[in-house]
Amino acid sequence: MAGEDRKPARLVPWALLSPGGLWLALFFLVPVLALVKIALSTPVRFQDPEFSWDFGNFGTALSDYGAQFGRSFLYAGLATVLAFAIGYPLAYCVAAYGGRWKDLLIGLVVIPFFTSFLIRTMAWTSILGERSFVTKIARGVLGDGFTFTGRSWGVVGGLTYNFLPFMILPIYVALEKIDFRLTEAAGDLYATPVAGFWRVIFPLSLPGVFAGSLLVFIPAAGDFINARFLGSPDTTMIGSVVQDQFLVQLDYPSAAALSLILMGIITVAVLVYSKLFGTEGLAA
Amino acid sequence: MSDWSVEQANAIISLDRVTKHFGSYVAVEEAHFDIIEGEFFSMLGPSGCGKTTTLRMIAGFELPTSGSIRLAGNDVSNVPPYKRDVNTVFQQYGLFPHMSILDNVAFGLRSKKVPKPEARRRAQEMLDVVRLSEFGDRKPSQLSGGQQQRVALARALVNKPKALLLDEPLGALDLKLRQSMQLELKRIQQDLGITFVFVTHDQEEAPTMSDRIAVMTQGRTDQIGTPTDIYYHPATVFVAGFIGTANLLPVTVRSSSGDIVTVDSALGSQFHVPTAGRTYTAGNSATLMVRPERLDISAGEPPVGIGGAIPALLTSVVFQGPVLRCEARTATGADVVAHVHVDDMPQVSVGQNVTLSWRSDGAFLVDEPISADMAGVTSSTDDETIHP
């Protein structure tokens, strides 16, 4: 059992890492570097952009589309909070009271996702559209001018709906692992059921809340479908701008700069978030 | 149904005909007894006997179907657990995994709005009592099973409850640790003077610690008494067999005079048994019980001045240190066990006819019949696994 026996063993982790590492290098790192290159290029009409260390694209992107950036993070943040407010109680009820129906109930949460994202969002336009009966009923209460679509709440609602399962599933998994007899122990130690929840169950489910909010916030911030179908030009999010720059305006450098800024802001936001509410120390 | 309610002023917990049904299943049937302030009280019985359900009703986790529970004189039958001044040590401890040991112990005090510095100081004091002073900063997962057990104890005791409820708390520990924890529990109970209500299925554990034991089976309370009382004067055949080893013989009560009852046995002899304060009705079938250590073996005629003697065939002798475990078969085919001290063993060998005898206070009459095929030696085997 000398030192040389350990050498192959030391290579095992690297061997196991290599497929994933290679994949990331090829399909993540290379495209991102390509994106950086394009973002630093100058657009040339009807030709590929010319690489020129042109940092101006970033400045223009921020100054021209600051409002869309702000809106994206506002809508994504609201959608995350709403998804939490709707998803946590649902996950809690299934985990705590689902009994033998647990798997079925959680399955029902996922079922709508067998249809495509686009179709589901389109469906909302007809349910909440100008001539839908839902809108008619709402107008009876909120006045004639009321619409669901074309407004910020339409977009936030769509985002919330579309990303809700990404909130529910991780929270459910976290709650499922908790021994609910701990609420009995809390009650025995004079904590009311509500206090017992906040002092014991909720802290133990935080890893799920953390994962769920990232899974909702990140894709919601970059989403362009909901704003397009359920919004109006006043509710455009940064995802739509990127899409428009890439596919309609064919201004690749601007689109690349916008994407990189979005990535940068999300990365910083996630780092700050995990520093503040990170799950370290919770995994007991 | 016997009445063990003492109706005394010093009763800390009183159960008044407490019954609990789960659907059509009767988990607890008319539990009716008092637990006295400052005593170590055990509820003992096989799994499914209703002991844990009774404890959970005292804690407030289950509500009685009928009957009432009083805690320190107040009816708490429908009071939720968080308003009851009792604390529980759970079988799986139920420590909060995300909190430090100190925060776990301070939990109850914080619920009662005790300021944080004082709560932590008192929690630390209680950790000292259970000898875990150094462990306050750790998480429960960093402690051994025995240490977690002591944290659970400290977490309950720090609240100075009117009674501490313990639900098979030692079940998950290995034998050696369990024995040292039994002594530790008794020490803490005596030091703090808090009433302990202890649930166990271990018939050796309960007598070690308890002042009084309630023996339960199938939802009923068969007997409540001191360990010696229950061991030597069992109220039912079940109690006789559940606590230790018992030799049981079917007999018929012939007459009762003063503190002696005379019974007829199928073995053709008549025995005189002390009543130990019980009353018996002539003509009733009953069960004569003799503990193995109260049986003597002699080669020929039994010594004079004995309480009873039966002839039997010696079938086996096993050396167990200072005590010989002797098995013998009576004329009716019942197997009987005697534990005889090495020095008291006569010169007899297996296959020989011997006389089994007992002193006049060596037997007890259980006022409950037993079928002929149940006669002989009986003891509960400790093979029960703990059900969470």
Side-chain angles (χ1 to χ4, degrees):
Chain A
M1 290 321 211
E4 54 260 50
D5 282 25
R6 294 201 198 122
K7 263 184 194 157
R10 223 182 292 156
L11 291 176
V12 168
W14 295 107
L16 291 172
L17 270 175
S18 57
L22 226 64
W23 176 275
L24 278 178
L26 264 178
F27 298 109
F28 178 72
L29 203 59
V30 171
V32 166
L33 289 174
L35 206 61
V36 172
K37 190 188 161 199
I38 296 171
L40 296 174
S41 306
T42 317
V44 181
R45 215 160 169 72
F46 306 121
Q47 278 177 45
D48 281 346
E50 221 166 72
F51 183 66
S52 59
W53 290 107
D54 184 354
F55 282 91
N57 292 323
F58 288 93
T60 349
L62 269 180
S63 59
D64 288 359
Y65 300 107
Q68 283 83 345
F69 269 115
R71 215 176 278 140
S72 291
F73 293 115
L74 177 68
Y75 290 177
L78 285 172
T80 307
V81 171
L82 279 173
F84 169 75
I86 300 166
Y88 196 100
L90 195 150
Y92 182 87
C93 287
V94 175
Y97 311 112
R100 62 202 176 98
W101 301 106
K102 272 182 188 175
D103 293 343
L104 178 77
L105 290 169
I106 278 301
L108 288 176
V109 170
V110 186
I111 277 187
F113 285 73
F114 293 1
T115 13
S116 97
F117 188 77
L118 194 64
I119 304 278
R120 275 180 286 125
T121 311
M122 298 277 281
W124 279 108
T125 62
S126 60
I127 295 171
L128 300 178
E130 294 271 333
R131 277 166 302 196
S132 77
F133 76 97
V134 182
T135 304
K136 277 180 191 145
I137 294 169
R139 279 182 177 162
V141 183
L142 298 164
D144 278 345
F146 182 81
T147 55
F148 284 107
T149 53
R151 304 298 182 91
S152 55
W153 50 80
V155 181
V156 172
L159 289 171
T160 307
Y161 162 77
N162 273 310
F163 295 109
L164 184 59
F166 297 110
M167 182 65 86
I168 294 174
L169 293 176
I171 293 178
Y172 171 76
V173 170
L175 284 168
E176 243 273 298
K177 281 193 295 186
I178 298 174
D179 182 353
F180 274 81
R181 285 175 299 186
L182 290 176
T183 55
E184 234 171 46
D188 188 68
L189 295 163
Y190 316 115
T192 61
V194 173
F197 170 79
W198 285 112
R199 294 172 69 191
V200 178
I201 302 297
F202 187 69
L204 286 171
S205 69
L206 272 181
V209 175
F210 180 76
S213 36
L214 289 186
L215 287 176
V216 172
F217 182 80
I218 295 171
D223 182 75
F224 59 93
I225 301 279
N226 285 282
R228 171 134 175 219
F229 289 102
L230 298 168
S232 69
D234 291 341
T235 63
T236 310
M237 291 168 68
I238 201 66
S240 313
V241 177
V242 174
Q243 191 220 11
D244 187 61
Q245 294 289 334
F246 259 123
L247 302 178
V248 183
Q249 311 287 336
L250 302 182
D251 181 355
Y252 298 138
S254 295
L258 285 165
S259 303
L260 286 172
I261 292 169
L262 182 64
M263 275 174 67
I265 296 177
I266 289 178
T267 308
V268 170
V270 168
L271 286 177
V272 170
Y273 183 64
S274 55
K275 254 286 185 282
L276 291 177
F277 305 101
T279 55
E280 276 162 81
L282 282 172
Chain B
M1 168 120 265
S2 309
D3 188 349
W4 285 288
S5 181
V6 288
E7 302 289 347
Q8 287 181 47
N10 60 354
I12 192 82
I13 297 169
S14 299
L15 279 74
D16 187 5
R17 274 170 273 279
V18 172
T19 296
K20 179 67 184 178
H21 295 196
F22 291 110
S24 60
Y25 177 72
V26 183
V28 177
E29 193 182 327
E30 301 225 335
H32 189 75
F33 54 82
D34 286 351
I35 296 168
I36 296 164
E37 186 158 16
E39 77 173 330
F40 197 121
F41 186 88
S42 289
M43 292 192 275
L44 171 66
S47 79
C49 73
K51 56 191 190 295
T52 295
T53 307
T54 306
L55 192 81
R56 289 174 60 79
M57 286 193 286
I58 297 173
F61 301 133
E62 308 283 354
L63 298 180
T65 309
S66 65
S68 68
I69 298 169
R70 268 176 294 140
L71 176 64
N74 304 311
D75 189 333
V76 294
S77 310
N78 292 302
V79 172
Y82 59 89
K83 288 184 184 163
R84 290 195 196 193
D85 211 359
V86 293
N87 290 108
T88 309
V89 175
F90 296 89
Q91 194 173 344
Q92 266 81 20
Y93 317 142
L95 301 181
F96 305 123
H98 60 301
M99 291 184 186
S100 71
I101 297 306
L102 194 65
D103 286 340
N104 262 281
V105 178
F107 192 98
L109 297 172
R110 296 293 293 141
S111 300
K112 286 184 161 177
K113 309 285 180 225
V114 173
K116 200 161 190 174
E118 198 200 330
R120 292 178 83 94
R121 185 182 55 74
R122 280 165 63 182
Q124 184 59 49
E125 279 173 16
M126 198 45 76
L127 282 179
D128 298 344
V129 170
V130 298
R131 298 173 186 167
L132 285 174
S133 316
E134 312 298 312
F135 292 82
D137 294 333
R138 307 241 187 128
K139 289 282 170 71
S141 58
Q142 293 169 298
L143 266 56
S144 71
Q147 290 168 333
Q148 291 186 28
Q149 166 68 69
R150 303 219 293 275
V151 175
L153 195 62
R155 186 177 70 169
L157 286 171
V158 74
N159 305 297
K160 300 201 166 49
K162 294 233 161 52
L164 182 73
L165 314 177
L166 303 103
D167 183 10
E168 301 247 13
L170 309 182
L173 306 180
D174 63 55
L175 182 66
K176 214 171 163 193
L177 198 53
R178 198 155 74 217
Q179 287 169 338
S180 78
M181 273 307 290
Q182 288 170 4
L183 299 175
E184 181 106 0
L185 277 178
K186 187 70 188 165
R187 172 187 71 83
I188 291 170
Q189 191 261 337
Q190 285 170 340
D191 285 358
L192 301 180
I194 289 177
T195 312
F196 275 33
V197 185
F198 187 91
V199 157
T200 180
H201 71 274
D202 187 335
Q203 72 282 357
E204 286 172 21
E205 189 166 275
T208 311
M209 296 178 286
S210 313
D211 296 316
R212 288 195 307 151
I213 301 172
V215 186
M216 300 177 72
T217 180
Q218 295 178 329
R220 287 176 289 108
T221 313
D222 266 25
Q223 186 173 9
I224 294 177
T226 63
T228 6
D229 194 27
I230 280 174
Y231 186 74
Y232 288 114
H233 303 134
T236 65
V237 170
F238 170 79
V239 174
F242 191 71
I243 317 286
T245 305
N247 294 300
L248 304 172
L249 294 173
V251 293
T252 309
V253 179
R254 171 180 279 265
S255 63
S256 184
S257 74
D259 54 1
I260 294 290
V261 57
T262 307
V263 297
D264 290 324
S265 154
L267 291 162
S269 21
Q270 218 172 61
F271 305 124
H272 304 289
V273 190
T275 59
R278 272 68 164 184
T279 51
Y280 301 93
T281 314
N284 273 7
S285 296
T287 304
L288 185 78
M289 182 201 75
V290 189
R291 293 289 180 189
E293 68 277 14
R294 293 275 166 113
L295 273 178
D296 293 319
I297 292 182
S298 43
E301 285 297 300
V304 285
I306 48 126
I310 48 174
L313 181 74
L314 192 63
T315 52
S316 100
V317 176
V318 177
F319 178 75
Q320 292 181 330
V323 164
L324 298 170
R325 180 188 157 91
C326 307
E327 286 178 32
R329 183 163 296 159
T330 67
T332 54
D335 287 313
V336 174
V337 167
H339 293 167
V340 182
H341 196 272
V342 174
D343 300 340
D344 300 335
M345 191 67 184
Q347 284 297 319
V348 288
S349 48
V350 170
Q352 205 176 324
N353 282 308
V354 293
T355 304
L356 301 174
S357 61
W358 57 90
R359 279 167 288 128
S360 55
D361 63 348
F364 181 71
L365 192 62
V366 181
D367 196 5
E368 193 180 44
I370 183 178
S371 63
D373 58 326
M374 283 285 292
V377 66
T378 172
S379 66
S380 78
T381 47
D382 191 23
D383 58 357
E384 189 184 14
T385 49
I386 311 259
H387 301 286

